Amino acid sequence: MKILSVNAGSSSLKFQMYEMPEEKVLISGVFERIGIEGSFYTVKLNGEKLKKEVDLPTHKDAFTILIKELMDNNIVESLDDIKGVGHRIVQGGSYFDKTVVVDEDVIAKIDELSALEPLHNPAAIVGIRAAQEVIPGATQTVVFDTAFHQTMNEETYLYALPYEWAKDYKIRRYGAHGTSHKYVSARMNEILGRSNTKLITCHIGNGASISAVKDGRCVNTSMGLTPNAGLIMGSRCGDIDATIVPYMMEALKISPKEMDTILNKQSGLLGISGVSSDSRDVEEGIAKGNDRCILAQKMYVRRIIDYIAKYYVELEGCDAIVFTAGVGENSISTRREVLDGLKVLGVKVDEEANNVRGVETRITAEDSNIPAYIIPTDEELMIARDTYNLSI
Ligand code: AMP
């Protein structure tokens, strides 16, 4: 059965088509600059990558071209071959604790939650509408980044703000990257051979979050109402003293929108290093002795250690620490520094085992109190799995 996994942004559409249940990727790619001059798309097929420049006024045009590519490359014979389309949604609020089939009520709720996620949620609705028009026979599903975190209890997800804000303004912790945390925690349980586990999953990419997962259920996560909470990220500040916000808005005479841009786009590794939001550039700066890159990395690693330690206490132990996403899978030095910072818990990195990028492997010594693993994440596959299960 052919299942399409899609992620629509305001001007982009990423896709991956799977043969399910074999979980084989048939084709993947991305449409970029939709509705903007200079639009194009790239397709990855049989190990080859092709780029084509085309007019893409709307997301519907992108889906129409996608279908043509699928047919031209004999991936599908007709539209009827596509049984399910799974859409990634960033914010599902308190409404959704799992993947669901799209109906008008579901779309209305995603739309209502656009206030909390003004960039991605409206774009996803555009993507759903376009897919419904172009592939009307397929089951359309929505997979939420927040769903996995809906198992957190009230004392964990509430902020110590006026109690009514949670009800009247939906102000609470929702978390993000839930599809990734769910994927790597399920895979970790497979490796451990049991499901009654206490795991700390570290999704460290350009955006970064850590979750505490007990018996396969999320009990805490570092992102909050929005993804700008918890860890220091590429260009996001993560946790800060909230009062800095009004103080600096007055000092700099800037608007809430300008402040939000600084907190999300000019802070984090970029803000401290002054060099880049990309940890590869920061590592390069460190190698050249750049003091601000050294400082940025120390702060970045410290925060990861703090969260792992906090969740270790909350879980009353830990059966495995998992690293995933761009930095987690690829930055040898970040993983080593984090694990070194946990030696008080008896964690011992295996330097040789850790000297790898992007492969599933254990990276701690035999006698480490807690094992740590790299597990490459696969959010698209999770979307395809959920969609397949709802399409059969
Ligand atoms: P993601 O958001 O998961 O795609 O992660 C992207 C981030 O991963 C980049 O911004 C880099 O900071 C980081 N990254 C990717 N490759 C490497 C690498 N080889 N070494 C260190 N960091 C990397």
Side-chain angles (χ1 to χ4, degrees):
M1 183 188 288
K2 311 277 191 292
I3 300 285
L4 191 60
S5 162
V6 300
N7 183 1
S10 53
S11 66
S12 67
L13 181 79
K14 283 193 203 137
F15 67 91
Q16 195 137 327
M17 174 157 268
Y18 289 87
E19 183 68 50
M20 298 295 282
E22 295 82 357
E23 304 191 342
K24 182 172 178 239
V25 178
L26 301 172
I27 186 170
S28 65
V30 55
F31 291 85
E32 294 190 53
R33 300 183 65 85
I34 299 172
I36 308 172
E37 224 175 283
S39 49
F40 64 94
Y41 68 98
T42 47
V43 172
K44 230 168 103 182
L45 179 67
N46 304 326
E48 259 185 76
K49 203 169 164 181
L50 290 169
K51 180 176 170 182
K52 295 186 190 174
E53 282 170 27
V54 282
D55 251 5
L56 294 171
T58 67
H59 285 71
K60 190 178 163 197
D61 298 297
F63 272 108
T64 307
I65 292 174
L66 171 56
I67 298 301
K68 190 169 175 319
E69 282 287 348
L70 296 177
M71 292 199 186
D72 289 353
N73 288 294
N74 298 319
I75 291 169
V76 299
E77 274 174 29
S78 79
L79 275 184
D80 294 342
D81 288 351
I82 307 171
K83 297 295 184 210
V85 182
H87 301 264
R88 176 184 175 224
I89 311 288
V90 169
Q91 182 53 267
S94 306
Y95 291 130
F96 301 102
D97 62 1
K98 59 177 182 302
T99 299
V100 295
V101 173
V102 172
D103 61 22
E104 284 307 313
D105 178 53
V106 166
I107 292 184
K109 289 192 166 106
I110 297 169
D111 190 32
E112 185 193 321
L113 293 165
S114 291
L116 297 177
E117 184 49 56
L119 287 180
H120 194 273
N121 271 33
I125 295 176
V126 172
I128 296 167
R129 293 282 189 217
Q132 283 175 324
E133 271 189 64
V134 179
I135 321 170
T139 302
Q140 310 278 339
T141 71
V142 275
V143 184
F144 299 93
D145 273 12
T146 47
F148 184 58
H149 306 304
Q150 279 296 302
T151 44
M152 286 186 292
N153 63 27
E154 195 179 25
E155 72 200 56
T156 305
Y157 69 66
L158 277 188
Y159 290 110
L161 291 165
Y163 184 76
E164 300 73 32
W165 286 14
K167 185 168 167 288
D168 297 344
Y169 296 92
K170 300 187 166 60
I171 301 294
R172 51 156 286 185
R173 179 188 305 279
Y174 295 105
H177 296 143
T179 312
S180 175
H181 288 288
K182 187 175 173 187
Y183 176 83
V184 298
S185 54
R187 178 68 197 128
M188 192 66 245
N189 281 349
E190 266 175 35
I191 295 169
L192 294 173
R194 59 197 173 94
S195 55
N196 60 334
T197 55
K198 297 168 178 176
L199 306 178
I200 299 174
T201 52
C202 311
H203 177 112
I204 321 282
N206 190 30
S209 63
I210 299 194
S211 292
V213 184
K214 187 163 187 286
D215 305 337
R217 289 160 63 88
C218 175
V219 294
N220 207 344
T221 194
S222 62
M223 281 181 168
L225 172 76
T226 75
N228 196 0
L231 301 178
I232 294 171
M233 306 177 216
S235 62
R236 293 186 198 133
C237 57
D239 292 345
I240 57 166
D241 177 341
T243 306
I244 295 168
V245 176
Y247 181 84
M248 285 310 294
M249 281 175 68
E250 285 205 11
L252 299 173
K253 306 216 174 337
I254 56 174
S255 66
K257 202 164 186 278
E258 287 169 309
M259 189 66 197
D260 194 51
T261 302
I262 295 170
L263 299 173
N264 277 288
K265 302 223 162 94
Q266 295 164 20
S267 301
L269 279 181
L270 172 64
I272 296 295
S273 72
V275 168
S276 173
S277 61
D278 192 307
S279 71
R280 284 165 289 202
D281 300 333
V282 173
E283 285 179 18
E284 218 178 289
I286 293 170
K288 288 183 193 146
N290 181 315
D291 287 340
R292 294 225 338 237
C293 287
I294 295 169
L295 175 64
Q297 177 71 4
K298 276 191 184 155
M299 291 169 66
Y300 184 82
V301 166
R302 175 82 259 151
R303 187 75 60 86
I304 299 172
I305 296 167
D306 288 350
Y307 266 93
I308 295 176
K310 170 176 146 75
Y311 291 158
Y312 176 84
V313 173
E314 190 170 337
L315 288 167
E316 298 181 334
C318 176
D319 295 309
I321 298 166
V322 182
F323 290 95
T324 195
V327 180
E329 291 170 30
N330 296 299
S331 174
I332 295 160
S333 55
T334 300
R335 286 192 307 256
R336 186 202 318 113
E337 288 160 22
V338 168
L339 294 174
D340 278 349
L342 293 166
K343 59 177 179 287
V344 69
L345 299 179
V347 174
K348 283 188 205 158
V349 66
D350 177 333
E351 293 287 350
E352 209 181 305
N354 183 45
N355 198 19
V356 292
R357 300 186 201 275
V359 288
E360 184 180 292
T361 189
R362 180 177 160 144
I363 55 172
T364 40
E366 281 294 316
D367 60 343
S368 179
N369 255 356
I370 308 169
Y373 287 78
I374 302 170
I375 299 182
T377 194
D378 198 338
E379 291 160 284
E380 290 76 20
L381 176 59
M382 278 303 281
I383 294 174
R385 278 184 192 164
D386 280 1
T387 306
Y388 170 73
N389 289 331
L390 289 171
S391 303
I392 47 178

